Amino acid sequence: MSADDLRVEVYPGREAVVEFDPDLTFECVEECTWCCRHGVLLYDEDFLELAERADLSEATTRFRGEDFVPREEKDRDDHVADDGAACYFLREDGRCELHAEHDWKPARCSVFPLEVVLEDGEIRVSTREKAWDHCEGMNVSERRVVDNLDAFLPEYLWELENPDTKREL
């Protein structure tokens, strides 16, 4: 920890150490869907929330002892990765079924384009390097990320033993 660390209270008594430019803005851009071309790590609370919205036997997989929403091959050319696959919940129109139909998304999705790590007992937040290369929503709006961290970081991240978002399927 350095004296220059920017600490932001996201919820009462819950701070995040911000390791990105405080002027960074982010807004999802229609038709982008780059972040939806990956598997989605599910924390326990996400798994329980997802159980209320989907058939877990179809919508999840276990990998290295953790639950994920898997990627699946899609029968289309739009909104998919180079291998033709995307998130199980990514609809043909490029919208997330969970967000569009249930106004909910797993923490890993709400965190994007940020990356969260726990270091010395503190949640540290930076931007995902690949987001700068692939995501069209970086610095395209007036919505400053640092002013809206509660929309990106669900409060239960502070209660997790390992909120590290670098874990991938």
Side-chain angles (χ1 to χ4, degrees), residues 48-105:
L48 296 173
E49 289 281 333
L50 183 59
E52 295 177 14
R53 296 163 174 85
D55 179 350
L56 296 178
S57 67
E58 292 180 18
T60 64
T61 190
R62 299 261 315 152
F63 180 70
R64 295 183 180 162
E66 295 184 296
D67 294 302
F68 287 83
V69 171
R71 299 170 74 239
E72 70 174 10
E73 192 170 322
K74 303 289 185 177
D75 188 25
R76 61 179 185 255
D77 294 328
D78 293 331
H79 312 296
V80 295
D82 291 340
D83 64 359
C87 175
Y88 176 87
F89 290 105
L90 187 63
R91 301 185 318 195
E92 191 169 331
D93 66 359
R95 300 211 47 222
C96 171
E97 176 182 325
L98 296 170
H99 194 218
E101 297 176 21
H102 302 283
D103 195 28
W104 176 82
K105 51 187 163 181

Side-chain angles (χ1 to χ4, degrees), residues 114-144:
L114 304 177
E115 186 169 85
V116 175
V117 296
L118 184 65
E119 187 177 297
D120 298 326
E122 296 183 306
I123 286 189
R124 302 182 83 77
V125 185
S126 59
T127 54
R128 293 174 58 100
E129 273 307 308
K130 290 183 178 181
W132 289 104
D133 297 332
H134 302 284
C135 179
E136 299 172 22
M138 305 294 278
N139 283 327
V140 298
S141 74
E142 299 295 318
R143 181 181 181 224
R144 281 181 13 133

Side-chain angles (χ1 to χ4, degrees), residues 33-44:
T33 69
W34 178 78
C35 64
C36 302
R37 298 174 188 181
H38 304 68
V40 178
L41 172 66
L42 295 169
Y43 300 113
D44 289 345

